[in-house]
Coordinates of all heavy atoms in Angstrom, one line a residue:
P17 N 7.6 13.9 3.6 CA 8.1 14.1 2.2 C 7.6 15.3 1.5 O 6.6 15.8 2.0 CB 7.7 12.8 1.5 CG 6.6 12.2 2.3 CD 6.7 12.7 3.6
A18 N 8.2 15.8 0.5 CA 7.8 17.0 -0.2 C 6.3 16.9 -0.8 O 5.6 17.9 -0.9 CB 8.7 17.4 -1.3
S19 N 6.0 15.6 -1.1 CA 4.6 15.5 -1.7 C 3.5 15.6 -0.7 O 2.3 15.7 -1.1 CB 4.6 14.1 -2.4 OG 4.6 13.1 -1.5
V20 N 3.8 15.6 0.5 CA 2.8 15.7 1.6 C 2.7 17.1 2.0 O 3.8 17.7 2.5 CB 3.1 14.8 2.8 CG1 2.0 14.9 3.9 CG2 3.1 13.3 2.4
S21 N 1.6 17.7 1.9 CA 1.6 19.1 2.4 C 0.2 19.1 3.3 O -0.7 18.5 3.1 CB 1.4 20.1 1.2 OG 0.2 19.9 0.6
R22 N 0.3 20.2 4.2 CA -0.8 20.5 5.0 C -1.3 21.8 4.8 O -0.6 22.7 4.5 CB -0.4 20.5 6.6 CG -0.1 19.1 7.0 CD 0.3 19.2 8.4 NE -0.7 18.5 9.2 CZ -0.6 18.4 10.6 NH1 0.4 18.9 11.2 NH2 -1.6 17.8 11.2
A23 N -2.6 22.0 4.6 CA -3.2 23.3 4.4 C -3.6 23.9 5.7 O -4.4 23.4 6.3 CB -4.4 23.1 3.5
F24 N -2.9 25.0 6.0 CA -3.3 25.8 7.2 C -3.9 27.1 6.7 O -3.6 27.6 5.8 CB -2.0 26.1 7.9 CG -1.3 25.0 8.6 CD1 -0.2 24.4 8.0 CD2 -1.8 24.4 9.8 CE1 0.5 23.3 8.6 CE2 -1.2 23.3 10.4 CZ 0.0 22.8 9.8
H25 N -5.0 27.5 7.5 CA -5.4 28.7 7.1 C -5.0 29.8 8.2 O -4.9 29.4 9.3 CB -7.0 28.7 7.0 CG -7.8 28.4 8.3 ND1 -8.1 29.5 9.1 CD2 -8.2 27.3 9.0 CE1 -8.7 29.0 10.2 NE2 -8.7 27.8 10.1
S26 N -4.9 31.0 7.7 CA -4.6 32.0 8.7 C -5.9 32.7 9.1 O -6.8 33.0 8.2 CB -3.7 33.0 8.1 OG -4.2 33.6 7.0
S27 N -6.2 32.9 10.4 CA -7.3 33.6 10.8 C -6.8 35.0 11.4 O -5.7 35.1 11.9 CB -8.1 32.8 11.9 OG -7.3 32.5 12.9
S28 N -7.8 35.9 11.4 CA -7.5 37.2 11.8 C -7.2 37.1 13.3 O -7.8 36.3 14.1 CB -8.8 38.0 11.7 OG -8.7 39.2 12.3
A29 N -6.3 38.0 13.9 CA -6.0 38.0 15.3 C -7.2 38.4 16.1 O -7.3 38.1 17.3 CB -4.9 39.0 15.5
R30 N -8.2 39.0 15.5 CA -9.4 39.4 16.2 C -10.3 38.3 16.4 O -11.2 38.4 17.1 CB -10.1 40.5 15.5 CG -9.4 41.8 15.4 CD -10.0 42.8 16.1 NE -9.3 44.0 16.0 CZ -9.2 44.8 17.1 NH1 -9.4 44.3 18.3 NH2 -8.5 45.9 17.0
R31 N -10.1 37.2 15.8 CA -11.1 36.0 15.8 C -10.8 35.0 17.0 O -11.2 34.0 17.0 CB -11.2 35.3 14.5 CG -11.7 36.3 13.4 CD -11.8 35.5 12.2 NE -13.0 34.7 12.5 CZ -13.5 33.8 11.6 NH1 -12.7 33.5 10.4 NH2 -14.5 33.0 11.8
I32 N -9.8 35.4 17.9 CA -9.4 34.5 18.9 C -9.5 35.2 20.2 O -9.5 36.5 20.3 CB -8.1 33.8 18.7 CG1 -7.1 34.9 18.7 CG2 -8.2 32.9 17.5 CD1 -5.6 34.3 18.6
V33 N -9.6 34.5 21.3 CA -9.5 35.0 22.7 C -8.0 35.1 23.0 O -7.4 34.0 23.1 CB -10.3 34.2 23.6 CG1 -10.2 34.9 25.0 CG2 -11.9 34.2 23.1
H34 N -7.5 36.2 23.4 CA -6.0 36.3 23.6 C -5.8 36.0 25.2 O -6.5 36.6 26.0 CB -5.5 37.8 23.3 CG -5.7 38.1 21.9 ND1 -4.8 37.7 20.8 CD2 -6.7 38.7 21.2 CE1 -5.2 38.1 19.6 NE2 -6.4 38.5 19.9
H35 N -4.8 35.3 25.5 CA -4.4 35.1 26.9 C -3.5 36.1 27.4 O -2.5 36.1 26.8 CB -3.9 33.6 27.2 CG -5.0 32.5 26.7 ND1 -5.7 32.0 27.8 CD2 -5.5 32.0 25.7 CE1 -6.6 31.1 27.3 NE2 -6.3 31.1 25.9
I36 N -3.9 36.7 28.4 CA -3.0 37.7 29.1 C -2.0 37.0 30.1 O -2.5 36.3 31.0 CB -3.8 38.9 29.7 CG1 -4.7 39.5 28.7 CG2 -2.9 39.9 30.4 CD1 -4.0 40.2 27.5
K37 N -0.8 37.3 30.0 CA 0.2 36.7 30.9 C 0.8 37.5 31.9 O 1.4 37.2 32.9 CB 1.3 35.8 30.1 CG 0.7 34.8 29.2 CD 0.2 33.6 30.0 CE -0.3 32.5 29.1 NZ -0.8 31.4 29.8
T38 N 0.8 38.9 31.5 CA 1.5 39.9 32.4 C 0.5 41.1 32.7 O -0.3 41.4 31.8 CB 2.8 40.5 31.9 OG1 2.6 41.1 30.6 CG2 3.7 39.3 31.7
A39 N 0.8 41.9 33.7 CA 0.1 43.1 34.0 C 0.3 44.1 32.7 O -0.5 44.8 32.4 CB 0.5 43.8 35.2
Q40 N 1.4 44.1 32.2 CA 1.8 45.0 31.1 C 1.0 44.6 29.8 O 0.5 45.4 29.1 CB 3.3 44.9 30.8 CG 4.3 45.5 31.8 CD 4.4 44.5 32.9 OE1 4.3 43.4 32.9 NE2 4.9 45.1 34.1
D41 N 0.8 43.2 29.6 CA -0.1 42.8 28.5 C -1.4 43.3 28.7 O -2.2 43.7 27.7 CB 0.0 41.2 28.3 CG 1.4 40.8 27.9 OD1 2.2 41.6 27.3 OD2 1.7 39.6 28.0
F42 N -1.9 43.3 29.9 CA -3.3 43.6 30.2 C -3.4 45.1 29.9 O -4.4 45.6 29.1 CB -3.7 43.4 31.7 CG -4.9 44.0 32.1 CD1 -6.2 43.5 31.7 CD2 -5.0 45.1 32.8 CE1 -7.4 44.0 32.0 CE2 -6.1 45.8 33.2 CZ -7.4 45.2 32.8
Q43 N -2.6 45.9 30.4 CA -2.6 47.4 30.1 C -2.5 47.7 28.6 O -3.1 48.5 28.1 CB -1.4 48.1 30.9 CG -1.6 48.1 32.3 CD -2.8 48.9 32.7 OE1 -3.4 49.8 32.1 NE2 -3.4 48.6 34.0
K44 N -1.7 46.9 28.0 CA -1.5 47.2 26.5 C -2.8 46.8 25.8 O -3.3 47.5 24.9 CB -0.3 46.4 26.0 CG -0.1 46.6 24.5 CD 1.2 45.8 24.1 CE 1.5 45.8 22.7 NZ 2.7 45.1 22.3
A45 N -3.4 45.7 26.1 CA -4.6 45.3 25.6 C -5.8 46.2 25.7 O -6.5 46.6 24.8 CB -5.1 43.9 26.0
V46 N -5.9 46.8 26.9 CA -7.0 47.7 27.2 C -6.8 49.0 26.6 O -7.6 49.7 26.1 CB -7.2 47.7 28.7 CG1 -8.1 48.9 29.1 CG2 -7.7 46.4 29.3
S47 N -5.6 49.6 26.5 CA -5.2 50.8 26.0 C -5.2 50.9 24.5 O -5.4 51.9 24.0 CB -3.9 51.4 26.7 OG -2.8 50.7 26.3
E48 N -4.7 49.8 23.9 CA -4.5 49.9 22.5 C -5.7 49.5 21.6 O -5.6 49.5 20.5 CB -3.3 49.0 22.0 CG -2.1 49.6 22.6 CD -0.8 48.9 22.1 OE1 -1.0 47.7 21.4 OE2 0.3 49.1 22.4
N49 N -6.7 49.1 22.4 CA -8.0 48.7 21.6 C -9.2 49.4 22.0 O -9.3 49.7 23.3 CB -8.2 47.1 21.7 CG -7.1 46.2 21.2 OD1 -7.1 45.9 20.0 ND2 -6.2 45.8 22.1
D50 N -10.0 49.9 21.2 CA -11.1 50.7 21.6 C -12.1 50.0 22.5 O -12.5 50.4 23.4 CB -11.8 51.3 20.3 CG -13.0 52.0 20.6 OD1 -12.8 53.0 21.5 OD2 -14.0 52.0 20.2
A51 N -12.5 48.8 22.1 CA -13.4 48.0 22.8 C -13.0 46.6 23.2 O -12.3 45.9 22.4 CB -14.8 47.7 22.1
V52 N -12.8 46.3 24.5 CA -12.3 45.1 25.0 C -13.1 44.3 26.0 O -13.7 44.9 26.9 CB -10.8 45.4 25.8 CG1 -10.2 44.2 26.2 CG2 -9.9 46.3 24.8
L53 N -13.2 43.0 25.8 CA -13.9 42.2 26.8 C -12.8 41.4 27.5 O -12.0 40.8 26.9 CB -14.8 41.2 26.2 CG -15.4 40.2 27.2 CD1 -16.5 40.8 28.0 CD2 -15.9 38.9 26.4
V54 N -12.7 41.5 28.9 CA -11.9 40.8 29.6 C -12.6 39.8 30.5 O -13.5 40.0 31.2 CB -11.1 41.9 30.7 CG1 -10.0 41.1 31.5 CG2 -10.3 43.0 29.9
E55 N -12.1 38.6 30.2 CA -12.7 37.5 31.0 C -11.7 37.0 32.1 O -10.5 36.7 31.9 CB -13.0 36.3 30.1 CG -13.4 35.0 30.8 CD -13.4 33.8 29.8 OE1 -13.1 33.9 28.6 OE2 -13.8 32.8 30.3
C56 N -12.2 37.1 33.3 CA -11.3 36.8 34.4 C -11.8 35.4 34.9 O -13.0 35.2 35.1 CB -11.5 37.7 35.6 SG -10.8 39.4 35.2

Side-chain angles (χ1 to χ4, degrees):
S19 63
V20 176
S21 67
R22 289 180 114 174
F24 291 100
H25 71 83
S26 61
S27 60
S28 168
R30 294 247 184 231
R31 295 189 71 190
I32 61 171
V33 180
H34 302 272
H35 292 266
I36 300 297
K37 298 293 184 188
T38 66
Q40 292 80 16
D41 289 344
F42 170 75
Q43 289 298 334
K44 185 176 177 181
V46 170
S47 65
E48 292 183 359
N49 296 283
D50 181 47
V52 182
L53 173 74
V54 178
E55 175 187 359
C56 297

